[in-house]
Amino acid sequence: MVLPKCNACGRFHFFPRVVCPHCYATSFTSHEVSGKGEIHTTTVVRRPPDRGGDYNVCIVELEERVRMMSRIEGVAPPDVEIGMAVIAYAGEIDGTPAVLCRPEGG
Amino acid sequence: MENKLRGKSAIVGTGHAGFGEAPGLTAYDIMAEAGLAALADAQLKLSDVDGLFCTMMEDSMPALMAAEYLGIRPRFVEGTMTGGSSFVNYITAATMALAAGLCDVVLIVYGSNQRSGSGKLVTASRPPPYEQIYRPRYPISAYALAAARHMHEFGTTREQLADVAVAARAWAQHNPEAFERGDLTREDVLAARMVSDPLTVRDCCLVTDGGGAIVMVRSERARDFPKPPVYVLGCAAESTHRQISQMPDFTVTAARESGARAFAAAGVSPSDIDVVELYDAFTINTVLFLEDLGFCEKGEGGAFVEGGRIAPGGGLPVNTNGGGLSCVHPGMYGIFTVIEATRQIRGDAPGLQIANVDLALAHGNGGTLSSQVTAILGSENTL
Ligand SMILES: [Zn+2]
């Protein structure tokens, strides 16, 4: 996974844009990141089983100190906990690119 | 708002329409009925209105649609869309426009038929581009994410959140205008259908029809109207994000800043406030705003609302009409915080009237905890 890093202040941001939201500089370099992070907050969206059942929506905070919405895979929705160590990765949902998470070491 | 605008404008009329269910009416019909009611309250006519402040959920140019519908040609139009906080936010621009002589009679107005029209929240907006793919249920999942983090950091409990809904219902039970007046207990809230953990359907605002309006004039002529004038002592805003994933701190809203500046402009503090009207789209809102506005410390909001503290007979009257949780919630609730605050100060609240109200706080929330606007209103005694 690649994130923009500001050439002026050295901080990362998400989502990509043409101005740094921290220092307002306009020059960035793309950096490959590990995806290491933790679940900052989480919810179970309830849905009837015949329409696909419950699913997770979470906010992941990467070690680069950026946050984004995501979904954790491989953990039952009620078992997702704040603080859980995860790896974020570039995946897809219904054919559309999306950042997904899996438990670290899982 | 600068201190020099303190007390320069006043609310001289309020109106509402279509509370609960208004089948057969369009959102603009309800908007117009609310506007007419507010003008009648002030004994003014549509032809007197030369400042129109309006936004609606269904169009890209709602203020123009409203002016066209009403048959008026306002010389000052404001339609900034900050979600449900918009109508509290307009108080600042309305005061500025009045004080500058850019208009003389302001109508702030809103209407929605979202219950009869579709049964769910209507929105003309594009879904948040970096979130929609994960299918959060808007807006509840956004507030659920904030509630979960608050519970994690401070030990806030679902029982405490439930007490917010129970208090709102207890106020609503005294208000004949309120839509939901049946009994509601903490156990009922906890046992209700979970929608987006930790929030159940009873942690959520109503989905109703309804419209609201207020009329504002310069203070120098505020005594020329039939109802006691309610003066704008301070109004301040701050926004932090649009998409919930971009919220800087999930447990702190910009109400901290909007509140501090509104209190400074008014020259009062939280302990001076007689009634508090907060935009309670979800139970967590009330907890967050009581903390951020300074009625209790950060993290203590859960304990603060426990055991009827904000219910009738409690220490602090909060959402005395029943709020968005039990009175009315037609998509955007902000204007109703101003209407209830005004009526409490005038002494003509539709439900429980708090005795001798001189200072009231109305707080609007927009987006997903994104835009925060605080207004402090006062009686003649506070000028
Ligand atoms: Zn920078």
Side-chain angles (χ1 to χ4, degrees):
Chain A
M1 201 164 56
V2 168
L3 283 180
K5 184 179 184 183
C6 176
N7 289 336
C9 72
R11 295 177 69 182
F12 288 86
H13 62 267
F14 183 86
F15 50 95
R17 63 198 88 170
V18 301
V19 58
C20 173
H22 309 296
C23 78
Y24 315 121
T26 55
S27 157
F28 313 99
T29 307
S30 292
H31 276 252
E32 189 73 35
V33 299
S34 68
K36 268 191 194 173
E38 65 172 49
I39 300 298
H40 185 72
T41 184
T42 182
T43 185
V44 183
V45 180
R46 303 300 183 109
R47 185 172 58 175
D50 61 343
R51 287 166 50 198
D54 300 346
Y55 57 95
N56 169 257
V57 172
C58 65
I59 303 293
V60 60
E61 181 169 312
L62 302 184
E63 60 183 6
E64 290 79 15
R65 302 194 61 78
V66 299
R67 291 194 207 129
M68 58 191 73
M69 190 169 279
S70 185
R71 187 169 83 197
I72 186 160
E73 302 278 296
V75 182
D79 297 336
V80 178
E81 287 180 357
I82 292 174
M84 188 178 270
V86 297
I87 303 289
Y89 61 98
E92 61 176 50
I93 296 174
D94 301 335
T96 303
V99 176
L100 298 174
C101 293
R102 55 181 160 77
E104 192 175 13
Chain B
M1 184 179 288
E2 296 291 317
N3 275 340
K4 61 189 173 191
L5 288 176
R6 185 188 194 278
K8 295 296 184 201
S9 67
I11 297 167
V12 295
T14 76
H16 65 274
F19 268 26
E21 291 175 327
L25 296 183
T26 69
Y28 287 93
D29 293 334
I30 297 170
M31 174 281 299
E33 287 190 350
L36 289 171
L39 289 164
D41 196 40
Q43 284 182 13
L44 284 166
K45 302 183 298 296
L46 267 173
S47 54
D48 297 315
V49 175
D50 60 357
L52 182 67
F53 294 65
C54 177
T55 192
M56 307 271 284
M57 303 288 263
E58 27 279 288
D59 287 300
S60 58
M61 298 184 209
L64 300 186
M65 293 289 284
E68 175 186 278
Y69 183 112
L70 296 171
I72 61 175
R73 295 171 54 151
R75 59 190 175 117
F76 196 95
V77 174
E78 237 288 76
T80 302
M81 174 53 121
T82 57
S85 63
S86 301
F87 310 92
V88 190
N89 197 37
Y90 293 151
I91 290 175
T92 303
T95 301
M96 292 162 60
L98 288 165
L102 302 178
C103 56
D104 297 322
V105 174
V106 162
L107 179 66
I108 301 178
V109 64
Y110 173 66
S112 166
N113 66 340
Q114 65 164 13
R115 184 181 181 90
S116 302
S118 73
K120 55 180 199 260
L121 292 170
V122 174
T123 177
S125 74
R126 186 170 64 109
Y130 292 94
E131 298 182 347
Q132 184 64 18
I133 186 79
Y134 305 102
R135 294 193 305 258
R137 189 169 297 171
Y138 286 113
I140 182 174
S141 294
Y143 292 84
L145 289 166
R149 187 72 200 181
H150 201 276
M151 292 166 75
H152 174 78
E153 284 194 28
F154 305 115
T156 308
T157 64
R158 284 190 56 212
E159 288 75 9
Q160 292 169 336
L161 295 178
D163 282 1
V164 173
V166 170
R169 183 61 56 87
W171 289 106
Q173 287 184 316
H174 296 278
N175 180 3
E177 294 177 359
F179 185 62
E180 288 282 4
R181 295 200 298 272
D183 291 338
L184 186 73
T185 65
R186 183 192 264 195
E187 290 67 36
D188 293 334
V189 180
L190 296 175
R193 177 171 58 88
M194 190 64 80
V195 182
S196 193
D197 296 42
L199 303 179
T200 73
V201 67
R202 291 288 160 251
D203 288 289
C204 302
C205 59
L206 307 175
V207 175
T208 67
D209 299 333
I214 63 171
V215 177
M216 291 176 62
V217 299
R218 278 183 292 281
S219 291
E220 66 227 31
R221 57 182 293 221
R223 290 181 199 85
D224 301 345
F225 300 89
K227 297 286 171 68
V230 169
Y231 296 90
V232 177
L233 304 181
C235 188
E238 188 146 324
S239 63
T240 41
H241 60 280
R242 169 64 184 91
Q243 303 177 82
I244 190 67
S245 55
Q246 303 293 314
M247 187 167 179
D249 182 334
F250 278 74
T251 65
V252 182
T253 74
R256 189 174 269 188
E257 287 78 18
S258 68
R261 276 187 275 111
F263 279 118
V268 300
S269 63
S271 60
D272 298 320
I273 300 293
D274 301 309
V275 296
V276 180
E277 309 297 342
L278 307 174
Y279 191 145
D280 57 343
F282 300 92
T283 50
I284 186 65
N285 294 40
T286 302
V287 170
L288 287 169
F289 299 151
L290 286 170
E291 293 173 350
D292 293 337
L293 294 169
F295 291 95
C296 61
E297 293 296 315
K298 179 52 64 184
E300 292 177 2
F304 187 88
V305 301
E306 237 174 329
R309 177 86 157 272
I310 61 171
L316 183 69
V318 175
N319 293 358
T320 46
N321 59 347
L325 289 167
S326 283
C327 180
V328 66
H329 194 286
M332 295 192 284
Y333 174 79
I335 195 157
F336 303 103
T337 66
V338 180
I339 292 172
E340 176 66 11
T342 299
R343 292 165 91 181
Q344 285 287 345
I345 292 170
R346 298 196 316 201
D348 63 354
L352 282 181
Q353 173 67 51
I354 306 301
N356 306 316
V357 175
D358 281 317
L359 279 166
L361 180 148
H363 183 80
N365 164 70
T368 49
L369 295 169
S370 316
S371 161
Q372 304 300 327
V373 188
T374 311
I376 296 179
L377 307 177
S379 70
E380 187 120 16
N381 300 332
T382 64
L383 283 183

